[in-house]
Short mmCIF file of all heavy atoms in Angstrom, two decimals:
data_model
loop_
_atom_site.label_atom_id
_atom_site.label_comp_id
_atom_site.label_asym_id
_atom_site.label_seq_id
_atom_site.Cartn_x
_atom_site.Cartn_y
_atom_site.Cartn_z
N SER F 1 -16.29 -18.31 -7.78
CA SER F 1 -15.25 -18.99 -6.99
C SER F 1 -14.08 -18.05 -6.78
O SER F 1 -13.85 -17.14 -7.57
CB SER F 1 -14.80 -20.26 -7.71
OG SER F 1 -14.22 -19.94 -8.95
N PRO F 2 -13.30 -18.28 -5.70
CA PRO F 2 -12.14 -17.42 -5.42
C PRO F 2 -11.11 -17.51 -6.54
O PRO F 2 -10.99 -18.53 -7.20
CB PRO F 2 -11.57 -17.99 -4.12
CG PRO F 2 -12.57 -18.93 -3.59
CD PRO F 2 -13.49 -19.30 -4.70
N VAL F 3 -10.40 -16.44 -6.75
CA VAL F 3 -9.33 -16.41 -7.73
C VAL F 3 -8.12 -17.09 -7.11
O VAL F 3 -7.73 -16.80 -5.99
CB VAL F 3 -8.98 -14.95 -8.11
CG1 VAL F 3 -7.78 -14.91 -9.03
CG2 VAL F 3 -10.18 -14.28 -8.73
N ASP F 4 -7.51 -18.02 -7.84
CA ASP F 4 -6.35 -18.75 -7.34
C ASP F 4 -5.15 -18.40 -8.21
O ASP F 4 -5.16 -18.66 -9.41
CB ASP F 4 -6.63 -20.25 -7.38
CG ASP F 4 -5.53 -21.07 -6.73
OD1 ASP F 4 -4.74 -20.51 -5.94
OD2 ASP F 4 -5.45 -22.27 -7.02
N PHE F 5 -4.16 -17.76 -7.62
CA PHE F 5 -2.94 -17.49 -8.35
C PHE F 5 -1.78 -17.44 -7.37
O PHE F 5 -1.97 -17.32 -6.17
CB PHE F 5 -3.03 -16.18 -9.16
CG PHE F 5 -2.98 -14.92 -8.34
CD1 PHE F 5 -1.78 -14.24 -8.17
CD2 PHE F 5 -4.12 -14.41 -7.75
CE1 PHE F 5 -1.73 -13.08 -7.42
CE2 PHE F 5 -4.08 -13.25 -7.01
CZ PHE F 5 -2.88 -12.58 -6.84
N THR F 6 -0.58 -17.57 -7.90
CA THR F 6 0.62 -17.56 -7.07
C THR F 6 1.39 -16.28 -7.34
O THR F 6 1.63 -15.92 -8.49
CB THR F 6 1.52 -18.77 -7.39
OG1 THR F 6 0.78 -19.96 -7.12
CG2 THR F 6 2.79 -18.75 -6.57
N LEU F 7 1.77 -15.62 -6.28
CA LEU F 7 2.60 -14.42 -6.37
C LEU F 7 3.89 -14.74 -5.62
O LEU F 7 3.87 -14.92 -4.41
CB LEU F 7 1.89 -13.23 -5.73
CG LEU F 7 2.68 -11.93 -5.67
CD1 LEU F 7 2.95 -11.42 -7.09
CD2 LEU F 7 1.91 -10.90 -4.87
N GLN F 8 4.97 -14.89 -6.36
CA GLN F 8 6.25 -15.21 -5.75
C GLN F 8 6.80 -13.99 -5.02
O GLN F 8 6.76 -12.88 -5.54
CB GLN F 8 7.25 -15.66 -6.82
CG GLN F 8 6.84 -16.92 -7.55
CD GLN F 8 6.88 -18.14 -6.66
OE1 GLN F 8 5.83 -18.68 -6.34
NE2 GLN F 8 8.04 -18.55 -6.26
N ALA F 9 7.32 -14.19 -3.83
CA ALA F 9 7.84 -13.11 -3.00
C ALA F 9 8.91 -12.30 -3.71
O ALA F 9 8.98 -11.08 -3.58
CB ALA F 9 8.40 -13.66 -1.69
N GLU F 10 9.74 -12.95 -4.51
CA GLU F 10 10.84 -12.25 -5.17
C GLU F 10 10.37 -11.34 -6.30
O GLU F 10 11.13 -10.55 -6.83
CB GLU F 10 11.90 -13.24 -5.68
CG GLU F 10 11.45 -14.10 -6.84
CD GLU F 10 10.72 -15.37 -6.44
OE1 GLU F 10 10.29 -15.51 -5.28
OE2 GLU F 10 10.56 -16.24 -7.32
N ASN F 11 9.11 -11.41 -6.67
CA ASN F 11 8.57 -10.54 -7.71
C ASN F 11 8.06 -9.22 -7.14
O ASN F 11 7.13 -8.62 -7.67
CB ASN F 11 7.46 -11.26 -8.48
CG ASN F 11 7.99 -12.42 -9.28
OD1 ASN F 11 9.13 -12.42 -9.69
ND2 ASN F 11 7.17 -13.42 -9.48
N VAL F 12 8.68 -8.76 -6.10
CA VAL F 12 8.31 -7.53 -5.42
C VAL F 12 8.39 -6.35 -6.39
O VAL F 12 9.29 -6.27 -7.22
CB VAL F 12 9.20 -7.32 -4.18
CG1 VAL F 12 10.66 -7.17 -4.55
CG2 VAL F 12 8.74 -6.18 -3.33
N THR F 13 7.42 -5.45 -6.31
CA THR F 13 7.40 -4.25 -7.14
C THR F 13 8.28 -3.17 -6.54
O THR F 13 9.00 -2.47 -7.23
CB THR F 13 5.96 -3.72 -7.26
OG1 THR F 13 5.14 -4.75 -7.81
CG2 THR F 13 5.89 -2.48 -8.14
N SER F 14 8.21 -3.02 -5.23
CA SER F 14 8.97 -2.01 -4.51
C SER F 14 9.14 -2.51 -3.09
O SER F 14 8.35 -3.33 -2.61
CB SER F 14 8.20 -0.69 -4.53
OG SER F 14 8.89 0.32 -3.86
N GLN F 15 10.18 -2.03 -2.39
CA GLN F 15 10.39 -2.49 -1.03
C GLN F 15 11.20 -1.48 -0.23
O GLN F 15 11.83 -0.60 -0.79
CB GLN F 15 11.10 -3.85 -1.03
CG GLN F 15 12.43 -3.90 -1.77
CD GLN F 15 13.63 -3.42 -0.97
OE1 GLN F 15 13.59 -3.37 0.25
NE2 GLN F 15 14.69 -3.05 -1.65
N SER F 16 11.16 -1.64 1.08
CA SER F 16 12.00 -0.84 1.98
C SER F 16 12.44 -1.73 3.13
O SER F 16 11.61 -2.35 3.79
CB SER F 16 11.22 0.36 2.52
OG SER F 16 12.00 1.07 3.46
N GLY F 17 13.74 -1.81 3.34
CA GLY F 17 14.28 -2.59 4.44
C GLY F 17 14.46 -4.06 4.16
O GLY F 17 15.04 -4.77 4.95
N VAL F 18 13.95 -4.53 3.04
CA VAL F 18 14.13 -5.93 2.67
C VAL F 18 15.52 -6.04 2.06
O VAL F 18 15.75 -5.61 0.95
CB VAL F 18 13.04 -6.37 1.65
CG1 VAL F 18 13.25 -7.81 1.23
CG2 VAL F 18 11.66 -6.18 2.27
N SER F 19 16.48 -6.56 2.84
CA SER F 19 17.86 -6.46 2.42
C SER F 19 18.37 -7.64 1.62
O SER F 19 19.47 -7.59 1.10
CB SER F 19 18.77 -6.23 3.63
OG SER F 19 18.66 -7.29 4.54
N VAL F 20 17.60 -8.71 1.52
CA VAL F 20 18.04 -9.85 0.74
C VAL F 20 16.92 -10.26 -0.21
O VAL F 20 15.82 -10.54 0.22
CB VAL F 20 18.39 -11.05 1.65
CG1 VAL F 20 18.79 -12.25 0.82
CG2 VAL F 20 19.51 -10.68 2.62
N ILE F 21 17.19 -10.23 -1.49
CA ILE F 21 16.24 -10.73 -2.47
C ILE F 21 17.03 -11.68 -3.35
O ILE F 21 17.96 -11.28 -4.03
CB ILE F 21 15.61 -9.60 -3.31
CG1 ILE F 21 14.86 -8.62 -2.40
CG2 ILE F 21 14.68 -10.19 -4.35
CD1 ILE F 21 14.29 -7.44 -3.13
N THR F 22 16.70 -12.97 -3.30
CA THR F 22 17.40 -13.97 -4.09
C THR F 22 16.42 -14.63 -5.04
O THR F 22 15.28 -14.21 -5.15
CB THR F 22 18.06 -15.03 -3.18
OG1 THR F 22 17.03 -15.69 -2.44
CG2 THR F 22 19.04 -14.39 -2.22
N GLY F 23 16.84 -15.71 -5.67
CA GLY F 23 16.03 -16.38 -6.68
C GLY F 23 14.63 -16.73 -6.25
O GLY F 23 13.71 -16.69 -7.05
N SER F 24 14.40 -17.06 -5.00
CA SER F 24 13.06 -17.45 -4.59
C SER F 24 12.70 -16.95 -3.19
O SER F 24 11.79 -17.47 -2.57
CB SER F 24 12.92 -18.97 -4.64
OG SER F 24 13.82 -19.57 -3.73
N HIS F 25 13.41 -15.96 -2.69
CA HIS F 25 13.19 -15.49 -1.33
C HIS F 25 13.28 -13.96 -1.24
O HIS F 25 13.99 -13.34 -2.01
CB HIS F 25 14.29 -16.01 -0.39
CG HIS F 25 14.40 -17.48 -0.30
ND1 HIS F 25 14.82 -18.25 -1.34
CD2 HIS F 25 14.16 -18.32 0.72
CE1 HIS F 25 14.84 -19.52 -0.97
NE2 HIS F 25 14.44 -19.59 0.27
N ILE F 26 12.59 -13.41 -0.27
CA ILE F 26 12.95 -12.11 0.26
C ILE F 26 13.34 -12.39 1.70
O ILE F 26 12.90 -13.38 2.28
CB ILE F 26 11.82 -11.05 0.16
CG1 ILE F 26 10.59 -11.46 0.93
CG2 ILE F 26 11.47 -10.79 -1.29
CD1 ILE F 26 9.53 -10.37 1.01
N GLY F 27 14.19 -11.58 2.26
CA GLY F 27 14.65 -11.92 3.60
C GLY F 27 15.17 -10.74 4.37
O GLY F 27 15.14 -9.60 3.92
N ALA F 28 15.69 -11.07 5.55
CA ALA F 28 16.24 -10.10 6.49
C ALA F 28 15.21 -9.03 6.81
O ALA F 28 15.50 -7.84 6.80
CB ALA F 28 17.54 -9.50 5.95
N LEU F 29 13.99 -9.46 7.07
CA LEU F 29 12.91 -8.53 7.38
C LEU F 29 12.93 -8.16 8.85
O LEU F 29 13.09 -9.02 9.71
CB LEU F 29 11.56 -9.17 7.04
CG LEU F 29 11.38 -9.57 5.58
CD1 LEU F 29 10.13 -10.41 5.43
CD2 LEU F 29 11.32 -8.36 4.71
N ASP F 30 12.76 -6.90 9.13
CA ASP F 30 12.67 -6.39 10.49
C ASP F 30 11.37 -5.61 10.63
O ASP F 30 10.74 -5.26 9.62
CB ASP F 30 13.86 -5.47 10.81
CG ASP F 30 15.19 -6.22 10.79
OD1 ASP F 30 15.29 -7.26 11.46
OD2 ASP F 30 16.10 -5.77 10.08
N ALA F 31 11.00 -5.30 11.85
CA ALA F 31 9.79 -4.51 12.08
C ALA F 31 9.85 -3.23 11.27
O ALA F 31 10.88 -2.55 11.22
CB ALA F 31 9.65 -4.20 13.56
N GLY F 32 8.77 -2.91 10.59
CA GLY F 32 8.69 -1.70 9.78
C GLY F 32 9.10 -1.88 8.33
O GLY F 32 8.87 -1.01 7.50
N ASP F 33 9.74 -3.00 7.99
CA ASP F 33 10.10 -3.27 6.59
C ASP F 33 8.83 -3.60 5.82
O ASP F 33 7.84 -4.05 6.39
CB ASP F 33 11.06 -4.46 6.50
CG ASP F 33 12.42 -4.17 7.11
OD1 ASP F 33 12.68 -3.01 7.47
OD2 ASP F 33 13.21 -5.12 7.23
N TRP F 34 8.86 -3.37 4.52
CA TRP F 34 7.69 -3.67 3.72
C TRP F 34 8.07 -4.04 2.30
O TRP F 34 9.16 -3.72 1.83
CB TRP F 34 6.70 -2.50 3.70
CG TRP F 34 7.27 -1.19 3.23
CD1 TRP F 34 7.79 -0.21 4.03
CD2 TRP F 34 7.40 -0.73 1.88
NE1 TRP F 34 8.22 0.84 3.25
CE2 TRP F 34 7.99 0.55 1.93
CE3 TRP F 34 7.06 -1.25 0.65
CZ2 TRP F 34 8.26 1.30 0.79
CZ3 TRP F 34 7.33 -0.50 -0.50
CH2 TRP F 34 7.92 0.76 -0.42
N ALA F 35 7.17 -4.75 1.66
CA ALA F 35 7.29 -5.10 0.25
C ALA F 35 5.95 -4.81 -0.40
O ALA F 35 4.90 -5.09 0.17
CB ALA F 35 7.66 -6.57 0.08
N ARG F 36 5.99 -4.23 -1.59
CA ARG F 36 4.76 -3.90 -2.32
C ARG F 36 4.67 -4.76 -3.58
O ARG F 36 5.65 -4.97 -4.29
CB ARG F 36 4.75 -2.43 -2.72
CG ARG F 36 3.41 -2.03 -3.36
CD ARG F 36 3.41 -0.59 -3.82
NE ARG F 36 3.91 -0.58 -5.21
CZ ARG F 36 4.60 0.42 -5.72
NH1 ARG F 36 4.90 1.48 -5.01
NH2 ARG F 36 5.01 0.36 -6.97
#
């Protein structure tokens, strides 16, 4: 069966261009921005 797990966006390992990271969000994403 498929693996079921939740990965919260704010638990980003690394990022570029993601200018807002709060308690439960990443934000202000524009073309070319990324989160790893």
Side-chain angles (χ1 to χ4, degrees):
S1 62
V3 175
D4 187 19
F5 73 96
T6 299
L7 177 65
Q8 298 292 110
E10 69 274 14
N11 293 332
V12 63
T13 302
S14 181
Q15 56 83 20
S16 176
V18 178
S19 60
V20 177
I21 300 176
T22 62
S24 62
H25 300 67
I26 61 172
L29 301 170
D30 296 308
D33 293 352
W34 56 266
R36 186 182 89 212

